[in-house]
Amino acid sequence: QVQFVESGGGLVQPGGSLRLSCQVSGSAFTAYAMGWYRQAPGKQRELVARIFSSGSTYYIDSVKGRFTISRDNAKKTVYLQMNSLIPEDTAVYYCNGAFIIQADWGQGTQVTVSS
């Protein structure tokens, strides 16, 4: 049973930064590509960034140059550094596999960008 525990969200002003963490348990973490997703009110959940086991990364266009995904295999943790935040980044952020998506999502962490 794979479990995800996300943390690090909060309320931040436009232009601010947050660092999200996702602790993964119950899986061969190092073998899997991992992803950060977000779901804004009234919208579908979308993939924001993914990181392969090799360390290579992918970002959606709207966060390129502002967000950085990373992973610590020893700690089985995935991070999302978010800089230059804008109101459109407001959402609940989740992590999960990037391609092999587990049915049970974590509780997510709320990010609110507002002045």
Side-chain angles (χ1 to χ4, degrees), residues 1 5 11 19 23 38 41 80 85-86 99 102 108-109 114:
Q1 183 74 17
V5 179
L11 172 64
R19 188 193 194 206
Q23 180 71 51
R38 67 186 179 188
L80 187 67
L85 284 161
I86 59 178
F99 299 104
Q102 301 297 320
T109 187
S114 175

Side-chain angles (χ1 to χ4, degrees), residues 36-108:
W36 276 101
Y37 301 77
R38 67 186 179 188
Q39 186 166 21
K43 295 188 177 180
Q44 288 190 335
R45 188 175 292 161
E46 64 173 348
L47 176 72
V48 174
R50 68 167 68 105
I51 183 165
F52 294 85
S53 56
S54 64
S56 61
T57 58
Y58 162 85
Y59 302 92
I60 59 173
D61 286 345
S62 61
V63 307
K64 279 181 182 177
R66 301 189 298 120
F67 290 11
T68 302
I69 188 171
S70 61
R71 64 192 295 163
D72 184 330
N73 288 338
K75 295 182 178 179
K76 298 181 74 173
T77 302
V78 188
Y79 303 98
L80 187 67
Q81 177 67 44
M82 305 187 297
N83 298 328
S84 302
L85 284 161
I86 59 178
E88 290 75 16
D89 295 320
T90 295
V92 180
Y93 285 71
Y94 304 85
C95 71
N96 205 318
F99 299 104
I100 302 174
I101 299 174
Q102 301 297 320
D104 292 329
W105 294 74
Q107 82 286 352

